[in-house]
Amino acid sequence: MSLLADVQQADRRLTERIAAGASPRLHQMLSAVEEMAEGSKLWCGAAAVLAWKGGRRGRTAAAAGVTSVAVAQLVSNGVCKQLVDRRRPPKEWIPHDEVEDRPDSSSFPSGHTAAAVAFTTAVAPTWPLVGALCAIPAAMVAVERVQSGAHYPSDVAAGAVVGLAGAWFVRRVPRLIRHYVL
């Protein structure tokens, strides 16, 4: 069996299990967090609080977080979704009506997950406690994207990789510029 076939089979098993496994209360909580994260509102709000209340460290963390979100969104939604036209998971796999309220765009990768991971990963080096706290809603967003039928688990994993790369890029570029240019 090919690697692609193995990934597709794992995607189906995990999607069906996650979509069917959430209790109504958990389903409601995941949906609420995803709604806050829509359009990166959650991450921009967290950045505003960090910048307002966190002093210099908060402003540094906020700037890194918001910039990383922008890079991750550009790569995931502006590049990857344009290059990879992947359909959303079949509606038959999702045993609830939330599957009717999902985007028509390409499923690959998860832009929500990319933004969540980018913000969390970029904030953590400057303020580890805030990074750890942000990891909770970031994980909830990732699970919700599969649970709602908006994404396959492999889309979420790819979004996480894009988010990690975006944060790494934002954190490293100033050092590289100082080292090689200045």
Side-chain angles (χ1 to χ4, degrees):
M1 201 178 258
S2 73
L3 177 61
L4 182 58
D6 289 344
V7 169
Q8 289 172 334
Q9 189 175 35
D11 269 343
R12 179 177 184 152
R13 280 194 316 270
L14 287 169
T15 299
E16 289 177 333
R17 184 174 293 155
I18 291 169
S23 69
R25 181 144 169 82
L26 178 59
H27 177 79
Q28 186 178 25
M29 191 166 48
L30 291 172
S31 293
V33 171
E34 185 277 331
E35 182 62 34
M36 286 188 290
E38 183 70 35
S40 298
K41 294 181 296 228
L42 177 61
W43 315 118
C44 290
V49 171
L50 282 171
W52 179 42
K53 292 288 193 178
R56 181 175 178 180
R57 179 166 73 160
R59 289 188 298 277
T60 300
V66 169
T67 305
S68 295
V69 167
V71 169
Q73 290 292 309
L74 176 66
V75 171
S76 64
N77 297 333
V79 177
C80 295
K81 284 185 184 288
Q82 307 310 312
L83 296 175
V84 180
D85 186 23
R86 186 178 194 190
R87 291 182 180 204
R88 303 284 172 165
K91 291 180 180 182
E92 309 81 66
W93 295 4
I94 315 302
H96 50 76
D97 61 355
E98 192 172 351
V99 73
E100 300 299 330
D101 186 33
R102 60 188 185 168
D104 293 329
S105 61
S106 175
S107 180
F108 183 89
S110 169
H112 284 77
T113 304
V117 170
F119 185 84
T120 301
T121 304
V123 165
T126 302
W127 205 330
L129 177 60
V130 173
L133 291 173
C134 288
I136 296 166
M140 292 174 76
V141 165
V143 170
E144 190 282 338
R145 300 315 287 159
V146 175
Q147 186 272 327
S148 68
H151 289 285
Y152 297 94
S154 59
D155 298 336
V156 169
V161 169
V162 169
L164 287 168
W168 178 87
F169 178 79
V170 166
R171 304 272 320 171
R172 288 290 293 166
V173 163
R175 287 186 219 131
L176 294 173
I177 290 171
R178 281 194 304 270
H179 182 69
Y180 290 106
V181 177
L182 301 178

